[in-house]
Amino acid sequence: MTKIILDLLKAMINATLLLLALCLFLGWMLMSSVQGVTAKVTEAITQVAPVQHRIEGLRLEVAGLRTDISRRPELALSGQLTALDQRLTALQHEMSELRQLPSDIIAIAAQTAASELVGHLGQLTSCLPPPS
């Protein structure tokens, strides 16, 4: 009777250790996926920084044009306004691409994490029990 209880206790400890190892492995996989997402988000932020500088430059240029127009309304500023309009259109196009970027990153990260998890679970389920 004592041997059976000891064997059951050993089996429970082994099962607990296996579950702990599985949890640690899955946590490690999750952390590697999170690091990948973090790297992609950092890359997206570095792409946004130049756009912010361009917006600041355009804001300063618009302020300068306002000052010029208020001082000398007889100036022909159509060329400058056309160039400014073209820059604003290009900037608007870049911003529409950047708005799509976070949802793309999240979709790719979720898809990658799911496929890795399925692959690892598939590997775990294909294990054969030890011969008795």
Side-chain angles (χ1 to χ4, degrees), residues 34-45 101 104-105 108-109 112:
V34 167
Q35 286 176 348
V37 170
T38 303
K40 289 183 181 185
V41 168
T42 304
E43 179 184 332
I45 289 171
L101 194 59
D104 291 344
I105 290 173
I108 290 170
T112 303

Side-chain angles (χ1 to χ4, degrees), residues 25-128:
F25 176 74
L26 292 177
W28 176 66
M29 293 304 298
L30 178 65
M31 288 306 294
S32 66
S33 296
V34 167
Q35 286 176 348
V37 170
T38 303
K40 289 183 181 185
V41 168
T42 304
E43 179 184 332
I45 289 171
T46 58
Q47 290 178 357
V48 171
V51 175
Q52 289 176 340
H53 293 299
R54 288 185 195 148
I55 290 172
E56 183 64 26
L58 285 174
R59 190 183 66 74
L60 292 173
E61 189 172 337
V62 167
L65 285 174
R66 285 184 185 155
T67 304
D68 289 344
I69 290 172
S70 66
R71 288 182 187 165
R72 300 162 89 192
E74 71 277 356
L75 289 176
L77 299 173
S78 63
Q80 290 177 342
L81 292 174
T82 303
L84 183 61
D85 186 42
Q86 290 173 352
R87 288 175 61 191
L88 286 172
T89 303
L91 189 59
Q92 185 178 10
H93 179 67
E94 288 179 24
M95 290 302 288
S96 66
E97 291 175 357
L98 289 176
R99 278 189 218 116
Q100 183 67 23
L101 194 59
S103 61
D104 291 344
I105 290 173
I106 291 170
I108 290 170
Q111 188 177 23
T112 303
S115 65
E116 286 181 13
L117 182 62
V118 167
H120 290 296
L121 288 177
Q123 289 175 352
L124 289 174
T125 57
S126 64
C127 293
L128 298 174

